[in-house]
Amino acid sequence: MKQNQTAAPVAVTDVEAYLNELVAVKLFRDNDRYRDDVYVAVNGHNCLIKRGEWVKIKRKFALVLDQSEIQDMKTAEMLEAEQSRFKAAEEAHA
């Protein structure tokens, strides 16, 4: 039984095309912690994203930014939970 030799390259090409599509993003900017441009790298490819204005970047870089934001939110939730747990333990010992 022969396998279809063209199926994999077509699927890979579709995924690559999707990840390389340009999408618009605007990164928050202030005059303190969030003032510098953001460097993003994916598998040896990189880009520098300007803060405070709409720019078009490849979707693969936007996905990394999304994952980073999700991780930051989860970290903040964990820190809040640990602070609450510590406060409760402290009050129990007082």
Side-chain angles (χ1 to χ4, degrees), residues 71-84:
Q71 189 62 46
D72 287 348
M73 287 187 294
K74 288 183 178 183
T75 300
E77 290 171 3
M78 183 198 69
L79 287 172
E80 188 175 318
E82 286 299 307
Q83 288 172 349
S84 295

Side-chain angles (χ1 to χ4, degrees), residues 12-23 42 45 56-61 63:
V12 169
T13 302
D14 291 344
V15 170
E16 286 178 6
Y18 173 77
L19 292 174
N20 286 311
E21 274 182 347
L22 293 178
V23 295
V42 176
H45 298 100
K56 288 194 174 189
I57 61 173
K58 292 181 180 181
R59 185 183 311 274
K60 62 184 172 186
F61 299 119
L63 292 171

Side-chain angles (χ1 to χ4, degrees), residues 1-54:
M1 181 181 234
K2 283 188 173 182
Q3 292 182 345
N4 185 351
Q5 298 296 324
T6 60
V10 171
V12 169
T13 302
D14 291 344
V15 170
E16 286 178 6
Y18 173 77
L19 292 174
N20 286 311
E21 274 182 347
L22 293 178
V23 295
V25 298
K26 183 176 181 181
L27 300 181
F28 175 76
R29 179 183 170 90
D30 65 10
N31 289 323
D32 188 29
R33 184 174 175 206
Y34 299 100
R35 67 176 180 264
D36 296 328
D37 296 341
V38 177
Y39 174 83
V40 180
V42 176
N43 295 331
H45 298 100
N46 58 63
C47 70
L48 192 60
I49 304 166
K50 189 166 181 72
R51 285 187 175 275
E53 59 186 63
W54 285 100

